[in-house]
Each structure stands twice: as structure tokens, then as C-alpha cells.
């Protein structure tokens, strides 16, 4: 019997890790600084920063926006649907 992984649901927006990195650099912040401001773990934030987590939880996203004093929708980019197998 072959098992296939269920396809993740399409999400119209993903976290823009490039803009996130640029925003941290513009403000002169390190991941450890942001972790302290948000109460989130530095390793988790680092995964978001390098693009390994393109869809962080809504609570995580909101904590980042609040800590950086950004408006809702900032640091998001439009996703493209995955190609069908």
C-alpha cells in the first residue's frame, strides 16, 4: 500500500522572509532582540527569517508585527499555487 502525504491547503499569502530580514537590518535588530520583544524563541524566528517557515502561525505573525510596529499585511507576499502532480 502506498501512502501519500496530503496536499497542504493553498494559502494566498506567505511570509516574506526577505522583507523581514531587510526590516530587521534597517532597525539594527538581531533575532535575539526580536525574540526578547516578542517572547518567541530565537530558533523559531531564525527559521522564519531564513524562509524555512513561510507560513508562521497567526499568533507568531501578529507578535512580529506588534514588536516591529508594522501594519497588518506587512511582510506578506502573494503565493502562487503549487503545480498539480
Amino acid at each position: 500500500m502506498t501512502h501519500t502525504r496530503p496536499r497542504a491547503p493553498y494559502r494566498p499569502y506567505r511570509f516574506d522572509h526577505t522583507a523581514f530580514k531587510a526590516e530587521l537590518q534597517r532597525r539594527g535588530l538581531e533575532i535575539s532582540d526580536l525574540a526578547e520583544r516578542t517572547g518567541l524563541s530565537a530558533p523559531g524566528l531564525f527559521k522564519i527569517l531564513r524562509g524555512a517557515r513561510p507560513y508562521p502561525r497567526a499568533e507568531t505573525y501578529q507578535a512580529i508585527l506588534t514588536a516591529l510596529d508594522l501594519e497588518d499585511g506587512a511582510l506578506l507576499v502573494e503565493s502562487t499555487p503549487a503545480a498539480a502532480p
Side-chain angles (χ1 to χ4, degrees):
M1 178 173 7
T2 305
H3 294 281
T4 59
R5 175 183 265 181
R7 185 180 290 257
Y10 170 66
R11 298 176 185 161
Y13 297 95
R14 64 177 168 75
F15 195 87
D16 186 352
H17 68 277
T18 304
F20 180 43
K21 183 175 184 176
E23 187 65 28
L24 290 178
Q25 289 175 341
R26 186 179 75 77
R27 294 169 184 255
L29 293 173
E30 298 290 330
I31 287 293
S32 58
D33 300 324
L34 188 60
E36 198 172 297
R37 288 183 181 194
T38 62
L40 301 170
S41 75
L45 288 169
F46 185 70
K47 288 177 184 177
I48 294 169
L49 180 69
R50 67 172 208 251
R53 290 201 176 143
Y55 302 103
R57 293 185 331 199
E59 300 84 15
T60 301
Y61 174 67
Q62 192 58 51
I64 292 169
L65 291 182
T66 300
L68 297 177
D69 194 30
L70 296 172
E71 294 181 17
D72 194 23
L75 304 179
L76 292 179
V77 293
E78 194 168 345
S79 291
T80 54

